[in-house]
Amino acid sequence: MSTVALSYTIPKLVRSKVRSLRWLVRGYVLVEGLATVVIGICLAFWLMLFLDWMFEPSPLVRVVFGIGVILAMAVLTWKSLLSRLFARLPDSSLALLVERNFPDIQQSLVTTIQGQRHAESLTPTESELLEHTSAEASAKLAHVELSQIFRYGPLLWKCAIALLLCGSIAVFATIHTDAFAFFLQRIQLSNTPWPRRVQLAVTGFDEVDGQRVINIARDDNFELKVRASLLDEHVAPEQVEIRYRLPDGRRGRDTMTQIGQAQAGQADSQPFQYEFKNLASDISFDLIGGDDRIYDLRLHVVERPQIVRTELECEFPAYLRRVPQTLPFSGRIEIPQGTQSICQIEVNKSLRGVQVYDSGTKEQLNASMSADDPRRFAIPLDTAKIDRVLLVDVQDTDGVSNREPYRLMVSVVPDEIPEVAVQLRGIGSAVTPQATIPFSGAIRDDYAVTSAWIEGQTDKLEPQRRELPASSITGRDIAELGRFDLAATSPQTHKKTLALKPGQQLTLSVKAQDAYNLEQAPHIGSSQRFVLDVVTDSELRSILEKRELGLRQRFEAIHEKMIATRELLTRIELEPKSDEGTPLAEEDKVLRRERDKLRVSGVLQNITQLTFETLGVAEGFEDIVIELENNRISTEELTERLQNNIAEPLHEVAKNLMPKLETQVLKLPAALDEAHENTRVQSEAIIQSDVVIEAMQRILDRMLELESYNELVELLRGIVTEQKELNEATRARRLEKLRSLLDDE
């Protein structure tokens, strides 16, 4: 038996409902998509307006931003409108949408729609059932309102927002027609900036990579100054705010200080200021005041330029005979007077400029930058005459200067006059006309002495100059420099160059000259002036004899003190006993030992003092001998008496006998506590003291013999003087008688 397929058609009501739903969906998508696109366009308008007004970007930035907005709007239109509007909406999908919102249909609508696909393969029973389902779906759809499928709330909100945004643009275009038209010009890439009520200005910043930057030295303060224009109807803001950003990400804000209260018409601008203190790292900030903004300002912290090396290239005066030198120094340097110099300076950074001020001469100096190294520069200095204090200000390529001027002191060391320190050796305050006068001492100069001489003068006559040998002016130690011989004769005339007579005064001094030639006046140093009385031989001997008498009296006191020292030595008790001769208590023994030790100390002190005093007397007699020789009045017999019989024995006592006595006495403190040693040590010390006293007595006897000899000489000298006076009186008497005879005739 064969089956015949029955024809099946979807009910008209169902087909109509599905078609209506398709149009409703597309209409909903169209309205929602258009609202979304309008919202995007309006938001893009306001965003572009805000960014352009806030930042006033360059035309290139505006072109890039416009292209981005167009692409964004194209993507938005495609995704929210076109792709959804032209999407395929199958009947089955629409049927599922209806059944999801109206569960009472119970899938009859989906079965009806899908049944048409399989109508040819259905059995009569299945066809009958499909007919029944279609009738049921048609009956239920008759009571369905398709509008209930859609949620109109979001659509209405989007439409309202779109209308509100469009209205805001319309209101802006109506109320602010000029601003709207100006924005349209800006969209057309006009370079004219936005007109603002507030106009802020900040100076000193350089444009670097889109930022305005100023370099600041590390740990320095920076005072930011901003001016709000009051011209062309601009007004000053109530405040100017700084919004800063630190390298570590921290942010902050602060308010600038308003300086005064500027009035329009009376001032061009209202100043504001703010101080950044102790900057240790970079800081970026923006300025906001009223409707004006200044973005991307940055303080870049750099190291301050510092001098790392200073040298002075010196060319010394020719008279110093020194090769040119480069002298490193730090802060201060000393150079000889007359030196030509160039100060070479190196800093730690490349330089842009240098200023040098001489505080001594009150003038600005020229500094020349090095062509090879931008960190080096030179300061030519004139011939060194006075001290100079250079104040150096450097500015590096970052525009940063040193905090305080560097002080470089170039001190000029003047060529000092030669120092002549001399004294007379073996000459007293009186000399004979035939004396030779020795000068000992040292001639010193900071560089060199070229010549030295002894200058002698009597009365008001022309000074006599005697050159000193070159060997005497080269050393710096005290030595004999030379002699001024009063008996010297001229090689031409064979007469004395300095004719002296007893009763005159001779003035002597030593002078020296160095090689200094920077001025007309030479550098001549002079010793003290020695004024000597010129006396006869007998007068000088008389003066020296008085000195001998004084030395003898000094030695007599030394002899007496030596005797007292021996007595003190004998008073040291070897075995302390009481006055009755009985042994002493232990405590009394200790006291007696302390007393004896004090006596030993007294003896040692006397020995030291007597040694030096004896040497002084010996040197006194030697000086007399030397003075006799220098004055050329010495005799062999007198020299033998003074030198061999007195001076040398005195040296023997002071240098040999007294030290031996001191050695013996030094043993006493240790021997006082040893019974078997104290007697021997004390005896040896007393014996040695007797030897010293005996030697002193012999010397004193010779002094007395010399004194008797001097008294005899003085007596003979008096007889000779009286004989001269008698002869002169006789001659004068004869002349007087001769004149009287002539007068009588």
Side-chain angles (χ1 to χ4, degrees):
M1 179 177 179
S2 61
T3 59
V4 180
L6 299 177
S7 61
Y8 172 75
T9 59
I10 297 175
K12 184 178 181 180
L13 179 60
V14 172
R15 192 180 299 278
S16 174
K17 285 289 187 179
V18 172
R19 187 183 302 113
S20 298
L21 180 59
R22 181 178 286 110
W23 284 106
L24 287 173
V25 170
R26 294 191 184 281
Y28 188 95
V29 170
L30 177 62
V31 174
E32 185 185 33
L34 288 174
T36 302
V37 171
V38 170
I39 291 173
I41 292 174
C42 292
L43 290 177
F45 172 85
W46 286 116
L47 179 61
M48 291 177 64
L49 177 62
F50 173 77
L51 294 177
D52 191 67
W53 178 83
M54 182 69 70
F55 299 103
E56 294 185 346
S58 64
L60 178 61
V61 175
R62 279 178 275 164
V63 168
V64 174
F65 186 74
I67 293 173
V69 170
I70 292 173
L71 292 176
M73 291 301 101
V75 172
L76 179 64
T77 302
W78 171 255
K79 287 189 174 183
S80 62
L81 180 59
L82 297 179
S83 63
R84 297 172 63 195
L85 184 62
F86 295 105
R88 183 174 173 272
L89 298 175
D91 291 345
S92 58
S93 298
L94 295 174
L96 287 172
L97 177 62
V98 174
E99 288 187 353
R100 188 179 298 164
N101 287 278
F102 298 99
D104 294 340
I105 298 178
Q106 298 181 348
Q107 298 184 352
S108 59
L109 181 59
V110 174
T111 303
T112 299
I113 297 299
Q114 293 179 348
Q116 188 177 8
R117 299 179 185 175
H118 309 286
E120 296 179 354
S121 61
L122 294 177
T123 64
T125 303
E126 291 174 344
S127 297
E128 184 179 354
L129 289 173
L130 184 58
E131 288 288 346
H132 179 74
T133 301
S134 300
E136 183 182 356
S138 178
K140 290 182 178 180
L141 283 175
H143 302 287
V144 171
E145 293 290 338
L146 296 177
S147 60
Q148 295 179 3
I149 295 176
F150 300 98
R151 292 184 298 169
Y152 293 100
L155 179 62
L156 292 175
W157 274 111
K158 283 187 177 182
C159 292
I161 292 173
L163 290 174
L164 182 62
L165 290 175
C166 289
S168 65
I169 294 175
V171 171
F172 174 70
T174 303
I175 297 176
H176 300 284
T177 306
D178 295 338
F180 184 77
F182 187 83
F183 178 59
L184 294 180
Q185 293 178 8
R186 294 281 298 176
I187 291 177
Q188 298 174 16
L189 305 181
S190 172
N191 284 325
T192 306
W194 278 91
R196 301 181 185 274
R197 297 185 69 243
V198 175
Q199 187 179 57
L200 301 178
V202 60
T203 58
F205 287 81
D206 300 325
E207 188 80 17
V208 178
D209 297 332
Q211 283 188 324
R212 281 178 281 187
V213 180
I214 189 169
N215 294 321
I216 302 298
R218 187 177 301 278
D219 298 326
D220 209 351
N221 299 337
F222 175 72
E223 187 174 72
L224 175 66
K225 294 183 178 180
V226 175
R227 290 188 173 274
S229 176
L230 298 178
L231 302 176
D232 301 329
E233 298 183 356
H234 291 115
V235 296
E238 293 183 0
Q239 67 178 24
V240 177
E241 187 180 56
I242 298 177
R243 297 179 183 177
Y244 58 86
R245 301 170 296 281
L246 300 177
D248 57 5
R250 290 181 295 164
R251 294 174 176 265
R253 60 180 62 191
D254 206 346
T255 303
M256 297 189 71
T257 302
Q258 179 175 325
I259 308 301
Q261 188 70 39
Q263 300 294 330
Q266 299 179 358
D268 295 340
S269 61
Q270 171 64 57
F272 295 83
Q273 71 177 23
Y274 183 83
E275 187 174 22
F276 294 91
K277 296 183 177 180
N278 302 324
L279 291 169
S281 60
D282 292 5
I283 181 170
S284 301
F285 60 96
D286 305 327
L287 298 176
I288 295 93
D291 61 355
D292 197 9
R293 307 287 188 271
I294 301 179
Y295 292 98
D296 294 329
L297 299 173
R298 184 163 66 98
L299 300 179
H300 179 47
V301 176
V302 297
E303 297 298 330
R304 191 181 298 277
Q306 295 180 350
I307 292 179
V308 297
R309 185 170 60 179
T310 51
E311 297 175 339
L312 201 66
E313 296 179 355
C314 299
E315 184 176 348
F316 302 103
Y319 78 90
L320 294 182
R321 298 181 181 178
R322 293 171 61 179
V323 297
Q325 286 182 291
T326 298
L327 306 175
F329 71 101
S330 176
R332 183 177 183 274
I333 188 172
E334 294 182 348
I335 58 175
Q337 182 182 3
T339 302
Q340 294 278 354
S341 59
I342 298 177
C343 185
Q344 298 284 355
I345 300 177
E346 181 180 352
V347 298
N348 60 338
K349 300 176 67 178
S350 298
L351 295 178
R352 178 185 297 173
V354 178
Q355 289 186 343
V356 182
Y357 179 74
D358 190 337
S359 61
T361 59
K362 310 296 183 184
E363 62 181 0
Q364 205 79 19
L365 302 182
N366 294 324
S368 57
M369 303 291 295
S370 173
D372 301 328
D373 190 349
R375 299 178 304 165
R376 294 179 62 90
F377 62 95
I379 308 172
L381 301 178
D382 298 333
T383 303
K385 295 181 180 178
I386 59 173
D387 293 348
R388 309 188 75 167
V389 180
L390 307 181
L391 305 180
V392 182
D393 288 296
V394 295
Q395 186 181 47
D396 59 24
T397 51
D398 292 326
V400 176
S401 303
N402 46 305
R403 189 188 301 271
E404 296 291 339
Y406 292 105
R407 294 174 61 90
L408 301 178
M409 299 182 63
V410 181
S411 297
V412 176
V413 179
D415 192 328
E416 299 293 341
I417 295 176
E419 178 186 354
V420 183
V422 299
Q423 60 183 357
L424 299 180
R425 174 64 175 167
I427 287 292
S429 59
V431 294
T432 61
Q434 69 276 7
T436 176
I437 303 172
F439 287 87
S440 63
I443 299 177
R444 304 180 179 92
D445 189 63
D446 43 6
Y447 299 114
V449 175
T450 57
S451 62
W453 63 93
I454 303 173
E455 194 172 88
Q457 183 180 15
T458 57
D459 300 330
K460 297 182 179 180
L461 300 178
E462 190 70 21
Q464 295 289 327
R465 175 168 170 168
R466 307 282 177 84
E467 296 292 336
L468 291 175
S471 59
S472 65
I473 62 176
T474 56
R476 300 181 64 87
D477 297 330
I478 296 177
E480 183 171 315
L481 301 177
R483 290 173 172 263
F484 192 88
D485 192 352
L486 302 183
T489 59
S490 173
Q492 292 79 17
T493 61
H494 301 286
K495 294 181 179 181
K496 285 187 176 182
T497 56
L498 194 63
L500 295 176
K501 295 180 180 180
Q504 291 182 320
Q505 279 191 333
L506 174 64
T507 302
L508 295 175
S509 62
V510 178
K511 296 185 177 182
Q513 180 177 346
D514 59 16
Y516 178 81
N517 61 358
L518 300 181
E519 297 177 359
Q520 293 182 351
H523 276 186
I524 298 177
S526 177
S527 69
Q528 68 183 84
R529 299 175 65 193
F530 301 95
V531 180
L532 305 177
D533 294 324
V534 181
V535 297
T536 62
D537 296 354
S538 59
E539 289 175 339
L540 181 59
R541 288 193 183 94
S542 177
I543 294 173
L544 296 179
E545 289 167 1
K546 293 179 181 178
R547 195 186 304 173
E548 292 173 18
L549 178 59
L551 291 174
R552 183 182 64 78
Q553 292 174 350
R554 283 177 55 190
F555 190 68
E556 286 178 349
I558 294 172
H559 180 257
E560 292 176 359
K561 190 170 184 179
M562 185 60 213
I563 295 174
T565 301
R566 181 191 181 284
E567 293 178 357
L568 181 62
L569 189 61
T570 59
R571 292 170 60 188
I572 299 175
E573 298 182 6
L574 301 178
E575 297 181 2
K577 296 181 180 180
S578 64
D579 296 337
E580 293 80 9
T582 58
L584 294 174
E586 191 64 29
E587 183 178 355
D588 293 335
K589 286 183 178 181
V590 172
L591 292 176
R592 294 288 181 95
R593 287 306 181 198
E594 293 297 327
R595 182 194 62 186
D596 291 339
K597 290 180 180 180
L598 291 176
R599 288 174 177 173
V600 172
S601 298
V603 170
L604 290 173
Q605 183 177 357
N606 289 346
I607 292 172
T608 302
Q609 182 179 356
L610 292 173
T611 300
F612 284 106
E613 290 180 355
T614 303
L615 282 175
V617 174
E619 291 174 356
F621 277 97
E622 287 178 342
D623 289 341
I624 293 175
V625 174
I626 295 173
E627 192 166 345
L628 288 170
E629 293 175 352
N630 288 335
N631 283 275
R632 293 190 172 101
I633 58 173
S634 177
T635 62
E636 184 177 352
E637 182 181 0
L638 189 57
T639 302
E640 177 70 19
R641 289 175 179 272
L642 294 175
Q643 182 67 36
N644 299 336
N645 295 340
I646 297 178
E648 291 181 1
L650 286 173
H651 279 291
E652 176 67 19
V653 171
K655 294 180 180 180
N656 293 325
L657 301 182
M658 297 294 282
K660 289 181 180 179
L661 176 60
E662 183 178 14
T663 302
Q664 295 295 332
V665 175
L666 286 173
K667 297 178 182 179
L668 281 174
L672 289 175
D673 299 327
E674 298 180 7
H676 64 282
E677 286 289 333
N678 52 16
T679 302
R680 182 182 62 80
V681 172
Q682 186 182 24
S683 299
E684 291 177 353
I686 294 174
I687 292 172
Q688 183 62 31
S689 64
D690 291 337
V691 172
V692 173
I693 293 172
E694 184 179 354
M696 287 184 174
Q697 184 62 50
R698 288 196 298 271
I699 296 171
L700 189 59
D701 292 341
R702 291 171 183 171
M703 289 182 182
L704 292 174
E705 292 176 2
L706 181 61
E707 182 179 356
S708 301
Y709 172 79
N710 290 336
E711 290 176 355
L712 179 59
V713 171
E714 184 65 25
L715 179 60
L716 293 175
R717 191 179 296 124
I719 295 172
V720 171
T721 301
E722 291 177 357
Q723 182 64 36
K724 287 182 179 180
E725 292 176 354
L726 180 59
N727 292 336
E728 290 177 359
T730 303
R731 188 182 298 107
R733 182 62 178 169
R734 288 176 179 175
L735 290 174
E736 184 179 353
K737 287 183 176 180
L738 182 59
R739 289 194 191 95
S740 62
L741 291 174
L742 292 175
D743 291 338
D744 293 340
E745 293 178 358

